Amino acid sequence: MKKAILLLGAAVFALSTLAGPAAAQSPIVIKFSHVVANDTPKGKGSLKFKELAEKYTNGKVKVEVYPNSSLFKDKEEIEALQLGSVQMLAPSTAKFAPLGVKEFEALDLPWLFKDEAQYTKIMKGEVGQWLFKKLEAKGVTGLAYWDNGFHMVSANRPLINPSDFQGLKIRISGSKIADQYFRNVGAIPQIMAFSEVYQALQTGVVDGCENTPSNYLTQKFHEVQKHITVANHAHLQYAVIVNTKFWNGLPPDIRKQLDKAMEDATDYTNSIAVKENEDAMAELKKSGKTTFHVLNDAQKKAWREAMAPTYKWAQGRVGKEVLDMLAKNLDIKMN
Ligand code: LMR
């Protein structure tokens, strides 16, 4: 009997010592939701952040990454962040209007960035910072910009001249600027969640779409689009955002380690984005499932001219301040 009591006591002690430190160490969980595949710049970036955040905080933080809209779709994930049911997202900046910050859509202007280097410079400079400031009033904190790349555009017929868009229903991700430039060429744009695009293309709910090579490949859009034009007419990038209340409520030492993890994951993501898209492009070509078209200078000029009215229209949508700032930093005229 005595022995049994002793054994019981030992068991209780063992349990409590186990439970004690384990309870004290129960990790802070960051749910990171996004809509693309793991095998993309953003997918890899979020996994890199998970790896580094868990390492730098010595396991005090656990990051759960939910890719491919497995937790929330586009619109729902923004609501979920504000409600606190997820803590971190990296939506395309084209999807920020529902948050009440339409100014991000200025980045969707057609033919705005000449190349990746120019895009990077702009986001690291005052435009990137100014846009993040706009988020503050919404209970959301911007941590970093993650690159993807330039958009291609596709349909089941070749898109070579602006008139080729006439009457085509084109899926867009959310930006009214994209809505406008597709209207400029006679298309009928339609906002749709990313997770629904493949089926919509397959069943003819929409005729075409725009996206980067890595998204075409991982979502198999090329299998349901006969023609892809490498237009580079607009740029796709993300803002990594967190719920401010959650972020500011973290112990300062943990937040510092997470800031460092985000900084390093951002460097990583932005360093692989171009190559990821080049590799995806090679795969797409190898698949032989679609025909690629590259615009010559005259065709490019015709697209630019056809889409130019979007610049003037944008003033009423995103306001003059951000447009002037972009014009100054890019050294261009905005009408
Ligand atoms: C889209 O909806 O087309 C993109 O924003 C998806 C993504 O996150 O790259």
Side-chain angles (χ1 to χ4, degrees), residues 115-241:
D115 51 31
E116 280 293 335
Q118 205 186 38
Y119 154 77
T120 304
K121 183 175 151 244
I122 290 300
M123 299 319 285
K124 282 201 170 141
E126 69 170 324
V127 175
Q129 287 318 305
W130 185 88
L131 287 170
F132 273 169
K133 269 226 150 322
K134 289 269 150 197
L135 288 175
E136 281 172 11
K138 313 293 173 189
V140 168
T141 299
L143 296 182
Y145 291 106
W146 285 3
D147 194 6
N148 188 328
F150 284 95
H151 278 299
M152 314 194 286
V153 59
S154 61
N156 284 323
R157 66 181 188 221
L159 301 169
I160 310 294
N161 299 304
S163 57
D164 297 330
F165 283 92
Q166 194 59 46
L168 287 183
K169 285 176 272 159
I170 303 277
R171 179 268 173 176
I172 56 167
S173 68
S175 169
K176 287 283 178 201
I177 298 283
D179 179 279
Q180 197 60 26
Y181 64 66
F182 279 125
R183 282 185 199 283
N184 287 162
V185 290
I188 306 151
Q190 198 172 314
I191 294 176
M192 184 181 287
F194 187 61
S195 55
E196 289 162 16
V197 181
Y198 176 85
Q199 210 187 351
L201 291 169
Q202 191 186 34
T203 56
V205 169
V206 291
D207 303 304
C209 67
E210 61 174 359
N211 234 302
T212 58
S214 56
N215 277 343
Y216 268 89
L217 180 69
T218 50
Q219 300 299 320
K220 301 187 167 49
F221 294 160
H222 62 299
E223 296 185 4
V224 285
Q225 293 279 268
K226 291 200 174 77
H227 295 273
I228 301 180
T229 302
V230 189
N232 296 346
H233 60 286
H235 196 271
L236 174 57
Q237 61 282 321
Y238 310 109
V240 184
I241 53 177

Side-chain angles (χ1 to χ4, degrees), residues 24-56:
Q25 277 170 17
S26 86
I28 297 164
V29 175
I30 295 180
K31 287 193 162 83
F32 187 161
S33 165
H34 69 79
V35 299
V36 296
N38 280 330
D39 200 12
T40 58
K42 177 161 66 181
K44 290 189 174 175
S46 59
L47 291 172
K48 178 58 81 178
F49 173 71
K50 170 185 169 62
E51 175 201 322
L52 298 178
E54 293 176 355
K55 184 167 142 199
Y56 295 170

